[in-house]
Amino acid sequence: MKVGLLSLGCPKNLVDGEVMLGIARDAGHEITSDADAADVLVVNTCAFIDSAKQESVDAILEMAGRKRDGHCKRLVVTGCLAERYRDELKREIPEIDAVLGTGEVPQILSALGGRHSTTGDRGGKVMPLTFHTKAPKPDGIESRARGAEPQATNAERRAPDASPPTYIYDADTPRLLTTPSHYAYVKVAEGCDYTCAFCIIPTLRGSYRSRTEDSIVNEARMLAERGVRELLLISQDTTFFGIDRGERGALARLLRRLNGIDGLAWIRLLYLYPTTITDDVLDAMADCEKVCRYIDLPLQHASAAVLKRMRRPGNRHTYDRLLSRIRDRVPGVTLRTTLIVGFPGETDADFNELESFVADTRFDHVGVFTYSHEEGTRAYAHEDDVPAAVKQRRRNAIMSRQKRIVAKAQKVRVGSEALVLIDGPSKEHDLVMQGRLEGQAPDIDAIVYLTDCDPEIYRPGDLVRTRIVGARGYDLLAAPLG
């Protein structure tokens, strides 16, 4: 059969989708990026916050409409929303033929139905289906959406004592990349052992479980042989890698081993946790030429009172010391963080402390979420007492301040030389390519526009020496040298 996949949410979810595509491809199914041509549509969902749940519900309803119109024969829903609202999804959207939770990735073949062979091609690549959230929904389906995420009863949600997901893929698992061919995400672990008050992920993904170093190195070698230039190592807390197995220092050893793989140019760490960033990891980052000097550190807040209610470690003082240690041990490091505003009980004084922290720290990249009151989290017991308008105003204030910080930093960059990894042609002009600096991760950070570039000379995955010639908002303008 022809199988089309739409994967929503984070890169960790994307890897699950790529594994499902690989399993389907190995079994003899054809993978298509044309939703109208698919016999089976798979929607791989996210359920982290309200907006993500709504996007997932909209996508399911859109694909259900395609099935009702006869464009496909089966509809499969997978991922975090499926794990969280399994029974209600099947009841409310009868077009769904199968639902797979986060630990049921290998069961994708039975969910697809139909005949399949036992051998197939492990290579190749497919881009995911494009879903337009504003597309009109067929009559009857829109009425079931009610403009909100599913509202499951306690009996329908996965019970706290139910068996948590335990699955994680390895180097031998079939996988079909959906990212551009020159970079790929590698999930080094699955699940989470933390109990952050705002987060539902441990319930949906299970306990933290690391892959072995050999498995990751073997996968990295195979990806490099296929032309991948940048590896992005991901998990819920990448710096916790190996600790669950009693392997202290495992991440630093892994980085040094990956640094020796021919073909790779950049190795990037995403999702680090403030209490597990050890000196040996920082030293490996400073020593290894291929490991990006890039720290993605979701701190969430700076007020000790808010952090305590969030069940997060640290305070403004400990964060200042941590960031100073990082900058001392990794000269030239790029710092990214994400923050939450409007957590229950956040006062004006709490927010002012956060804003001061951002102003003083001068992060290179900042993302800000407004707090989402999620059932199933510890924070749900608190009153969601910060008005939505106040949350948005606080978010805007942080982002406005960060924009001014970036603007000053951009002026300093102009005239300097920098290596840029080419991602491909810009949609804006035939002679403009776009790429990234070592301090820019795909999809979440700004980009670099390269002018006067011949696409016949510069290809995706090339590392090009450039001179920064200007800035446009968060993005930079550069010209190739030589």
Side-chain angles (χ1 to χ4, degrees):
M1 295 185 295
K2 292 184 178 180
V3 179
L5 171 78
L6 169 64
S7 192
L8 304 169
C10 67
K12 298 182 287 291
N13 210 40
L14 177 69
V15 172
D16 290 344
E18 292 176 338
V19 168
M20 286 188 281
L21 287 177
I23 292 172
R25 178 71 173 266
D26 257 26
H29 295 295
E30 180 181 346
I31 307 303
T32 180
S33 59
D34 182 358
D36 291 333
D39 299 310
V40 183
L41 289 170
V42 181
V43 183
N44 191 26
T45 61
C46 178
F48 184 53
I49 57 176
D50 277 344
S51 59
K53 289 187 291 184
Q54 185 61 62
E55 182 183 23
S56 293
V57 170
D58 287 346
I60 295 168
L61 293 173
E62 171 77 6
M63 299 310 164
R66 290 179 180 274
K67 182 184 176 185
R68 284 161 58 91
D69 291 342
H71 290 292
C72 71
K73 300 173 183 177
R74 287 180 67 81
L75 174 60
V76 179
V77 178
T78 66
C80 290
L81 194 76
E83 181 73 28
R84 190 172 182 183
Y85 298 108
R86 176 188 307 265
D87 294 334
E88 198 198 23
L89 282 170
K90 290 190 292 187
R91 186 182 68 246
E92 292 291 322
I93 309 177
E95 291 85 358
I96 296 175
D97 296 287
V99 177
L100 299 181
T102 58
E104 299 172 306
V105 170
Q107 297 179 30
I108 185 62
L109 288 184
S110 60
L112 294 177
R115 297 180 179 179
H116 55 268
S117 65
T118 57
T119 61
D121 179 9
R122 288 196 177 197
K125 128 184 212 71
V126 62
M127 295 305 294
L129 299 176
T130 300
F131 173 71
H132 302 285
T133 58
K134 295 184 179 180
K137 302 178 182 66
D139 292 339
I141 293 181
E142 184 168 10
S143 65
R144 292 203 299 270
R146 299 188 183 93
E149 73 279 359
Q151 298 296 316
T153 65
N154 288 334
E156 290 164 339
R157 298 189 186 91
R158 188 165 67 82
D161 58 350
S163 298
T166 59
Y167 173 77
I168 185 168
Y169 81 110
D170 60 30
D172 296 323
T173 306
R175 182 180 169 195
L176 195 57
L177 298 184
T178 60
T179 51
S181 60
H182 61 286
Y183 69 82
Y185 295 96
V186 173
K187 194 186 295 189
V188 301
E190 179 61 279
C192 185
D193 287 349
Y194 296 115
T195 57
C196 302
F198 53 81
C199 187
I200 194 68
I201 295 300
T203 301
L204 302 180
R205 292 280 179 175
S207 299
Y208 195 96
R209 49 202 184 274
S210 299
R211 293 170 59 187
T212 66
E213 289 180 37
D214 286 346
S215 173
I216 297 166
V217 171
N218 289 341
E219 182 182 16
R221 286 199 179 105
M222 288 188 290
L223 290 170
E225 289 170 359
R226 291 170 56 180
V228 169
R229 299 278 282 153
E230 178 181 6
L231 286 186
L232 297 104
L233 306 186
I234 57 174
S235 72
Q236 206 61 35
D237 171 14
T238 302
T239 40
F240 198 74
F241 171 74
I243 295 176
D244 60 306
R245 303 163 63 94
E247 300 171 357
R248 296 282 175 176
L251 181 59
R253 291 193 299 272
L254 175 64
L255 292 177
R256 294 183 186 278
R257 291 182 66 184
L258 294 175
N259 192 65
I261 294 178
D262 292 338
L264 294 181
W266 285 351
I267 301 159
R268 188 182 305 278
L269 296 173
L270 296 179
Y271 315 121
L272 313 184
Y273 199 77
T275 58
T276 50
I277 298 179
T278 53
D279 287 346
D280 62 342
V281 170
L282 297 178
D283 290 344
M285 185 175 290
D287 294 342
C288 298
E289 61 179 9
K290 296 180 182 180
V291 178
C292 295
R293 298 186 177 195
Y294 178 96
I295 297 285
D296 173 35
L297 186 64
L299 294 176
Q300 313 303 356
H301 216 279
S303 162
V306 174
L307 287 167
K308 184 176 181 180
R309 288 196 299 277
M310 286 181 170
R311 300 176 66 91
R312 295 281 296 188
N315 52 50
R316 170 72 186 270
H317 177 65
T318 59
Y319 284 175
D320 285 341
R321 286 193 303 170
L322 169 63
L323 295 170
S324 294
R325 178 164 63 92
I326 291 172
R327 283 170 163 156
D328 287 343
R329 299 191 82 96
V330 188
V333 67
T334 295
L335 291 175
R336 150 172 276 281
T337 195
T338 52
L339 307 168
I340 297 174
V341 295
F343 190 80
E346 183 189 59
T347 64
D348 287 342
D350 292 326
F351 173 73
N352 291 339
E353 185 171 6
L354 176 62
E355 189 173 22
S356 172
F357 175 65
V358 171
D360 293 343
T361 303
R362 307 184 71 82
F363 290 99
D364 299 280
H365 309 293
V366 172
V368 183
F369 292 93
T370 56
Y371 169 73
S372 180
H373 206 45
E374 295 296 317
E375 285 185 283
T377 64
R378 295 171 185 266
Y380 197 72
H382 300 291
E383 180 185 357
D384 188 12
D385 57 356
V386 181
V390 174
K391 293 177 184 178
Q392 191 61 45
R393 186 163 62 247
R394 289 174 178 174
R395 179 190 182 277
N396 292 344
I398 295 289
M399 294 310 299
S400 178
R401 181 172 290 277
Q402 177 64 16
K403 188 174 183 178
R404 295 194 297 271
I405 292 171
V406 170
K408 290 181 179 179
Q410 304 285 57
K411 290 182 180 179
V412 175
R413 285 183 180 274
V414 174
S416 65
E417 295 184 11
L419 277 177
V420 173
L421 182 71
I422 301 293
D423 281 331
S426 167
K427 296 179 181 179
E428 299 183 14
H429 196 282
D430 291 342
L431 295 181
V432 175
M433 304 289 283
Q434 67 182 51
R436 292 173 287 112
L437 304 175
E438 178 183 349
Q440 295 172 325
D443 297 326
I444 59 174
D445 294 328
I447 60 176
V448 179
Y449 290 101
L450 291 96
T451 59
D452 300 321
C453 288
D454 186 344
E456 296 299 319
I457 299 176
Y458 300 101
R459 301 296 180 89
D462 288 347
L463 271 176
V464 179
R465 175 66 63 180
T466 70
R467 185 179 304 282
I468 305 299
V469 297
R472 191 173 67 180
Y474 288 101
D475 300 321
L476 291 165
L477 307 177
L481 293 175

